[in-house]
Amino acid sequence: MAENPFQESLCLQLMLALYRSGRTAEALSVYRDTRRKLARELGLEPSEKLRVMERLILDRRPAGELSPGIAPGLPMPARAAATGPQDRIALLEREIADLRDASVRPG
């Protein structure tokens, strides 16, 4: 996110990954940081998609409900089948790491 602070699609994906892995506070922090940067540097508010995602997280919607149908345009990440809670956690941690890596790559 540091390299592309105004790319809201990365923000949405990171928020979704963090929320799905039970890291609600971090997901909301990503929103607040992005909103602050948009307002301070561009004089803009976040897009409707970003605001919808924040509202859904604040409403504590089940993570499984947050999908492209709820926030149009959000891609569903490809996932391998998890066999248990530890596998699911490992998959989510890798997804978060991939999103962070993608946010710092130029492009």
Side-chain angles (χ1 to χ4, degrees):
M1 295 293 302
E3 292 281 325
N4 300 299
F6 306 115
Q7 192 158 4
E8 290 188 345
S9 61
L10 290 176
C11 178
L12 283 167
Q13 292 172 3
L14 181 56
M15 287 174 67
L16 185 58
L18 289 167
Y19 185 66
R20 283 181 173 165
S21 63
R23 296 160 67 179
T24 303
E26 288 176 73
L28 292 170
S29 178
V30 168
Y31 174 82
R32 283 189 306 272
D33 291 346
T34 301
R35 182 173 188 253
R36 193 174 306 122
K37 287 175 189 170
L38 286 168
R40 182 179 57 234
E41 297 182 32
L42 301 176
L44 298 174
E45 287 295 315
S47 68
E48 182 179 0
K49 289 180 186 179
L50 206 57
R51 292 190 314 266
V52 166
M53 180 60 71
E54 181 213 22
R55 174 57 37 211
L56 293 173
I57 291 171
L58 287 170
D59 290 345
R60 298 183 183 266
R61 294 285 288 271
E65 287 184 20
L66 301 184
S67 69
I70 298 295
L74 285 178
M76 289 295 284
R79 300 175 193 255
T83 58
Q86 293 303 321
D87 292 332
R88 176 102 170 112
I89 291 169
L91 287 170
L92 290 169
E93 291 294 339
R94 280 196 299 274
E95 183 177 319
I96 291 167
D98 290 345
L99 289 168
R100 284 196 174 129
D101 289 345
S103 72
V104 295
R105 283 189 214 128

